[in-house]
C-alpha cells in the first residue's frame, strides 16, 4: 500500500542528541484507512545512497550489472543494494555462514557474533574482511532482504495514520551511521509517497468496554501507541479512568507531545505522571512514579484496570515487570513463583499487555 506524507514534525530541537519525529500519513486518494490503535505500521525504506556508493566501490562494481534476487527478480546491482538488501545492519547469520563455509572470523559462538554485529554495517564487514569484497557481485547472495521496520501507530483516525519515531544515528568505527528506515522517514517531505502496511497487534488493544480503566506506562518512543489510545478514549463523552506514566530524558528538550498530553489532562481525561531522568542528579524513571502512586494503582488493579507497557525491551519492561511482581507478593502474600505465574496469567488474559522492542 502507498501512503502519502501530509505532515512531518521534529518534536525535539535540532541541537538535541536525539531527534524524535511525529509523521502523519494518508492514503494518496484519500481512501479510508483500516487500523486500530495498538496496531503497527510497517515501512519499506530505501537505503542511504552514500552507503550504496561506498559498497559498490568496495565490491569494484559499477552498479549497472544485473543480479537475480529471490523476491524481486532481476534488478540492477544499484537497485538491489538501494532497495532490496540489508546494508545498514550486519546480520549475525552472515558471520555464522562465513565461519562455517569460509573459516573466517574467530567468534566463540552466537553471542560473540551478535556483539560483533551490533553497530557494524556491511561496509564495516567488507573493510574488516577484504576477502568478502573480492567476491564482487557474488557477495550480494550473502545479504538478507531489506526487512520492513515496525512502528507503533500513534493515532486513531480512519483518515490519517501517525508514527512517532527516533532517528537512529550514532558514531561507530569513526563513521557516522544512520538507521535506514528511521532516517528515510525523517528525510521525507509533505507529498512524498512511501510503501507501508498495517499489521494487526491483537495483543495490544483497548478494552471493549470504554468504562474499564486503563493504566499506560511508556518511555521514549514507547509513548506512541498511547497517543492513539487517548485519541480513541476521548471520543467517548464518559469513559473510564486513563492514567499515563511517561518517562523521557529532559523536560526542556524531550517532553514528547507534552502540549497534547497536558491538554487531555486539563480536560480531565488523563491522569498524567511524568519522569525526566536527566533533570536532576539521580535518575528518575517511570517505575519510581509507579512506586509513588502505589495505593492508587493497586486500587485500580483490583477494580479491573488493564495495564499497558510500551518501550524498551531491555530496560523499561523488565523494571516494570519486576515491580508488578513485587506488588503481587506484597499485596497478595504470594511467593516469587506464584507472582510470576500471576503475571503470566494476566498477560494471557490481556489484563497486562506489552508492546516492547
Ligand atoms: C514491534 C515494534 C514496534 C516498534 N515501534 C517503534 C516506534 O513506535 N518508534 C520507533 O522509533 N521505533 C520503533 N521500533 C523500532 C523500529 O522498528 C526500528 O527498529 C528503528 O526505527 C531502527 O530502524 P532503522 O531501520 O532506522 O535502523 P537500522 O538500519 O535497522 O539500524 C539499527 C541498528 O543500528 C545499530 N545501532 C542502533 N543504535 C546504535 C547505537 N547507539 N550504537 C551502536 N549501534 C547502534 C544496531 O546494530 C541496530 O540493530 C519498533 C520495533 C518493533 C519491533
Ligand atoms: N533497534 C534500534 O535501533 C532502535 C531504534 C529506536 C528505538 N529503539 C528502542 O526503542 C525504545 C525507545 O527508545 P528511546 O530512545 O525513545 O527511549 P529510551 O532509550 O527507552 O529512553 C527513554 C527514557 O527511558 C529511560 N530509561 C533508561 N533505562 C531505564 C530503565 N531501566 N527503566 C525505565 N526507564 C529507563 C531513559 O533514561 P536515561 O537514558 O537517562 O537513563 C529515558 O529517560 C528503546 O527500546 C530503544 O532501544 C531501538
Amino acid at each position: 500500500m502507498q501512503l502519502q506524507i501530509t505532515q512531518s514534525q521534529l518534536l525535539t530541537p535540532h541541537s538535541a542528541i536525539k531527534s524524535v519525529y511525529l509523521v502523519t500519513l494518508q492514503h494518496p486518494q484519500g481512501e479510508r484507512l483500516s487500523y486500530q490503535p495498538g496496531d503497527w505500521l510497517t515501512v519499506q525504506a530505501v537505503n542511504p545512497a552514500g552507503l550504496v556508493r561506498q559498497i559498490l566501490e568496495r565490491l569494484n562494481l559499477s552498479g549497472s550489472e544485473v543480479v537475480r534476487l529471490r523476491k524481486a527478480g532481476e534488478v540492477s546491482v544499484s537497485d538491489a543494494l538501494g532497495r532490496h538488501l540489508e546494508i545498514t545492519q550486519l546480520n549475525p547469520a552472515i558471520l555464522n555462514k562465513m565461519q562455517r563455509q569460509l573459516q573466517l572470523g574467530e567468534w566463540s559462538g552466537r553471542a560473540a557474533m551478535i556483539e560483533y554485529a551490533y553497530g557494524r554495517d556491511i561496509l564495516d564487514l567488507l573493510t574488516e574482511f577484504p576477502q568478502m569484497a573480492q567476491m564482487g557481485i557474488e557477495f550480494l547472495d550473502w545479504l538478507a532482504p531489506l526487512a520492513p521496520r515496525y512502528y507503533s501507530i500513534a493515532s486513531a483516525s480512519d483518515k490519517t495514520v501517525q508514527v512517532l519515531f527516533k532517528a537512529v544515528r550514532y558514531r561507530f568505527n569513526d563513521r557516522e551511521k544512520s538507521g535506514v528506515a528511521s532516517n528515510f522517514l525523517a528525510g521525507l517531505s509533505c507529498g512524498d509517497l512511501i510503501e507501508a502496511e498495517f499489521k494487526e497487534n491483537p495483543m495490544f488493544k483497548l478494552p471493549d468496554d470504554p468504562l474499564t480503566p486503563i493504566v499506560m506506562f511508556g518511555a521514549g518512543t514507547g509513548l506512541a501507541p498511547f497517543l492513539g489510545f487517548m485519541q480513541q478514549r476521548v471520543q467517548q463523552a464518559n469513559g473510564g479512568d486513563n492514567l499515563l506514566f511517561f518517562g523521557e530524558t529532559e523536560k526542556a528538550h524531550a517532553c514528547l507531545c507534552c502540549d497534547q498530553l497536558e491538554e487531555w489532562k486539563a480536560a480531565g481525561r488523563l491522569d498524567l505522571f511524568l519522569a525526566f531522568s536527566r533533570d536532576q542528579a539521580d535518575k528518575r524513571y517511570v517505575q519510581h512514579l509507579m512506586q509513588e502512586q502505589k495505593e492508587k494503582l493497586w486500587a485500580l488493579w483490583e477494580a479491573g484496570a488493564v495495564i499497558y507497557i510500551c518501550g524498551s525491551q531491555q530496560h523499561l519492561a523488565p523494571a516494570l515487570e519486576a515491580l508488578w511482581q513485587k506488588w503481587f507478593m506484597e499485596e497478595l502474600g504470594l511467593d516469587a513463583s506464584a507472582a510470576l505465574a500471576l503475571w503470566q496469567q494476566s498477560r494471557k488474559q490481556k489484563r497486562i499487555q506489552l508492546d516492547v522492542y
Side-chain angles (χ1 to χ4, degrees), residues 18 166 168 219-221 247-249 277-278 283 285 287 311-313 315-316 319 357:
K18 83 162 85 175
K166 181 175 79 169
V168 171
T221 50
E248 249 299 346
T249 48
S277 53
R278 301 183 194 175
K283 289 284 186 186
Y285 289 151
Q287 55 271 34
S312 164
Q313 191 165 31
H315 303 293
L316 178 79
Y357 48 93

Side-chain angles (χ1 to χ4, degrees), residues 101-121:
Q101 295 189 4
L102 307 175
Q103 289 74 51
L104 287 175
E106 291 175 357
W107 305 284
S108 56
R110 192 172 147 69
M113 289 175 189
I114 292 171
E115 193 187 333
Y116 176 87
Y118 186 76
R120 284 186 167 82
D121 61 17

Side-chain angles (χ1 to χ4, degrees), residues 90-265:
L90 172 56
N91 189 334
I94 298 179
L95 306 177
N96 188 23
K97 198 170 150 193
M98 277 168 56
Q99 203 169 45
R100 274 190 299 110
Q101 295 189 4
L102 307 175
Q103 289 74 51
L104 287 175
E106 291 175 357
W107 305 284
S108 56
R110 192 172 147 69
M113 289 175 189
I114 292 171
E115 193 187 333
Y116 176 87
Y118 186 76
R120 284 186 167 82
D121 61 17
I122 294 301
L123 187 61
D124 292 316
L125 182 81
L126 295 174
T127 306
E128 289 164 32
F129 292 93
Q131 306 92 316
M132 300 302 288
Q134 281 163 13
M135 290 181 187
I137 198 166
E138 308 272 292
F139 176 71
L140 269 61
D141 290 341
W142 287 66
L143 301 178
L146 178 54
R149 304 301 198 257
Y150 279 68
Y151 294 93
S152 309
I153 288 175
S155 52
S157 152
D158 62 2
K159 296 187 181 62
T160 57
V161 59
Q162 292 183 302
V163 286
L164 178 80
F165 62 92
K166 181 175 79 169
V168 171
R169 292 167 189 152
Y170 58 98
R171 198 173 168 75
F172 191 91
N173 267 353
D174 279 338
R175 284 176 45 223
E176 300 298 332
K177 303 275 182 80
S178 303
V180 53
S182 56
N183 286 282
F184 168 74
L185 283 172
L188 295 171
S189 309
C190 285
D192 286 346
L193 295 171
I194 66 163
E195 268 310 315
E197 297 295 335
F198 292 118
K199 290 274 185 263
E200 280 179 30
N201 181 5
M203 300 312 286
F204 209 75
K205 281 285 156 291
L206 281 170
D208 292 336
D209 181 355
L211 291 175
T212 304
I214 64 168
V215 183
M216 302 167 276
F217 295 98
T221 50
L223 176 67
F226 303 138
L227 297 169
F229 279 5
M230 282 305 299
Q231 286 179 19
Q232 174 106 339
R233 295 272 283 193
V234 296
Q235 284 169 18
Q236 265 102 25
N238 295 306
D241 287 342
N242 304 304
L243 280 75
L244 172 64
F245 292 78
F246 173 54
E248 249 299 346
T249 48
E250 298 141 323
K251 190 173 193 335
H253 305 299
C255 198
L256 311 178
C257 301
C258 270
D259 290 348
Q260 173 65 84
L261 300 179
E262 294 291 351
E263 222 175 88
W264 283 323
K265 181 182 170 185

